[in-house]
Amino acid sequence: MFLGNNYNNNLNGNNNLNNNGRVLGITQTMLGHFKVKTYKNLYPQVYDFYNLFLAFKKAKKGKSSKDYVISFEKDLGHNLNILSEELLSLTYRPKSLQTFILRDPKTRKISKSDFRDRIIHHAICNIIEPILDRPIIYDSYANRKGKGTLKAIERFDYFKRKVTKNNHRKAYCFKADIKQYFENVDHNILIQILSKKIKDKKLIKLIKIILENYKSKDNKGMPLGNLTSQFFANVYLNELDQFIKYDLKIKYYLRYVDDFVILDESKTRLKRYRKQIESFLRKIKLELHPQKTKIIILSTGINFLGFRIFYYHKLLKKSNLEHAKRRFFDFIENYDKKEMNYDKLYNSMEGWIAYVKYANTYKLRNKISTQFKVISNKEVSTKELNRMISK
């Protein structure tokens, strides 16, 4: 066996991530001819033991108390070696996905992978994310380090001030949504996009195996819930991003997964952009959602990422406000049942408050903070303790 049985002896190995160079994220066939830096011999880095160990640490984050994590970790070295050998011998096959319906707040079908398969997803992303994230535009905000919902809202505010000259000029927002995006990602087009940079046939084959594990029609679709799906969603729509930024030369554009906005002082220009974008999307077998795509004057308020954004204030959408309240009471209930420890409760509450404070929610935050203090007066979180020590 090429790896030792004792996994601790393997943790000194190298995980050589090749992340040098900047790669243009445009497919040659669609948007012209560019010299693209390519990457070979990546597959051994995926099944490298140390990479799998890092992937395990990421996959178990926030789930350490789950039975399947505890079971896998009891014989961690052996289990990671099995995964590594399956990848090396090209015999790895993912287990069937578990599908369930989540209402959080809108109804979505989530397909959950087995824990060992989630480790593989992290192992792949550890290697290819540094390569494929580089060409993704600055204003893509979902599932990326240093980005996220609140950063997208901040950027929207910045664009809003610029395009309206600090609210001294009328302006419009083209707000768009891709129709059933995850269900319609075309596997062949995605593989073509990935293959422009990744010239490792074994790694491409592994990615195909993961894509094909989602039983869909016409070789399309990715499961909501997979780490690889979230990452590939950005890679796939980066083709649109590049077209909008560098072909149409649109300045005030940002995207969060399949929701995107363009701000402009000209409604006529936005109508023209819409037609050009619709034409481009057909090339990658996608279309705009007819009901959720519209051009709106900025002064009326724009619904974006759970907020209704006006010039001088923001409100939480009614459905998100109700969802936020339910989440708070769920946190408290789970804590009372001892299904959530105080550290996790504190971190969840901190994240929740960080989100809702971006809207005009002072009364709501004050009410819930008062209720939370009843609990927090009895407990101290690790994060609070570390802050006290650092002071």
Side-chain angles (χ1 to χ4, degrees), residues 323-335:
H323 173 62
K325 291 177 181 177
R326 285 199 306 272
R327 276 181 64 85
F328 169 75
F329 290 112
D330 285 344
F331 293 155
I332 300 302
E333 184 179 352
N334 290 337
Y335 174 75

Side-chain angles (χ1 to χ4, degrees), residues 263-279:
L263 276 59
D264 200 289
E265 69 270 20
S266 169
K267 189 174 184 178
T268 301
R269 192 156 48 232
L270 288 176
K271 288 179 179 179
R272 184 174 74 248
Y273 289 154
R274 175 172 183 161
K275 289 181 180 179
Q276 292 169 311
I277 288 168
E278 285 175 331
S279 177

Side-chain angles (χ1 to χ4, degrees), residues 105-229:
K106 61 183 180 181
T107 301
R108 294 176 293 168
K109 185 176 80 171
I110 305 296
S111 296
K112 183 179 178 182
S113 294
D114 188 81
F115 182 66
R116 75 193 303 270
D117 297 323
R118 280 178 261 166
I119 294 172
I120 298 295
H121 300 165
H122 279 282
I124 293 170
C125 289
N126 284 348
I127 304 305
I128 67 173
E129 186 174 356
I131 297 167
L132 297 174
D133 186 71
R134 283 175 174 266
I136 293 176
I137 66 166
Y138 179 86
D139 285 311
S140 173
Y141 285 88
N143 307 308
R144 300 179 71 200
K145 292 176 183 176
K147 301 292 183 176
T149 304
L150 300 183
K151 290 290 184 182
I153 295 297
E154 286 177 0
R155 189 67 163 170
F156 184 95
D157 278 339
Y158 172 76
F159 284 169
K160 180 184 65 183
R161 291 194 300 271
K162 285 289 185 180
V163 75
T164 63
K165 295 192 180 298
N166 286 324
N167 198 21
H168 287 94
R169 178 173 69 184
K170 182 189 291 187
Y172 299 86
C173 175
F174 171 43
K175 184 179 181 302
D177 180 280
I178 307 292
K179 184 179 178 181
Q180 295 181 323
Y181 175 50
F182 278 83
E183 287 294 322
N184 285 303
V185 168
D186 186 278
H187 293 182
N188 293 329
I189 292 175
L190 176 58
I191 291 299
Q192 287 174 20
I193 294 169
L194 296 172
S195 297
K196 292 294 178 181
K197 293 93 179 173
I198 299 172
K199 297 298 183 182
D200 188 315
K201 291 182 180 179
K202 291 180 180 178
L203 180 50
I204 291 295
K205 184 178 179 181
L206 175 61
I207 291 170
K208 285 181 179 179
I209 288 170
I210 290 170
L211 289 172
E212 290 165 2
N213 193 43
Y214 183 62
K215 308 301 180 188
S216 60
K217 297 178 181 179
D218 303 323
N219 207 30
K220 286 185 175 183
M222 300 188 299
L224 278 172
N226 272 10
L227 174 70
T228 47
S229 299

Side-chain angles (χ1 to χ4, degrees), residues 91-115:
T91 58
Y92 165 76
R93 293 295 181 273
K95 295 185 178 182
S96 297
L97 297 164
Q98 294 180 352
T99 300
F100 58 94
I101 302 300
L102 180 67
R103 293 174 175 84
D104 188 28
K106 61 183 180 181
T107 301
R108 294 176 293 168
K109 185 176 80 171
I110 305 296
S111 296
K112 183 179 178 182
S113 294
D114 188 81
F115 182 66

Side-chain angles (χ1 to χ4, degrees), residues 344-368:
K344 192 168 182 179
L345 174 65
Y346 181 87
N347 291 336
S348 298
M349 282 299 302
E350 193 173 50
W352 182 86
I353 289 171
Y355 174 74
V356 299
K357 79 176 182 181
Y358 268 72
N360 294 64
T361 54
Y362 175 78
K363 289 182 179 179
L364 173 67
R365 284 183 284 122
N366 189 49
K367 179 181 178 181
I368 288 179

Side-chain angles (χ1 to χ4, degrees), residues 255-267:
R255 178 174 63 81
Y256 191 95
V257 195
D258 57 333
D259 291 328
F260 63 89
V261 293
I262 299 171
L263 276 59
D264 200 289
E265 69 270 20
S266 169
K267 189 174 184 178

Side-chain angles (χ1 to χ4, degrees), residues 23-40:
V23 185
L24 288 170
I26 310 174
T27 55
Q28 285 184 336
T29 54
M30 293 179 184
L31 301 179
H33 297 278
F34 294 86
K35 186 177 180 180
V36 178
K37 183 175 177 63
T38 59
Y39 298 81
K40 302 177 181 179

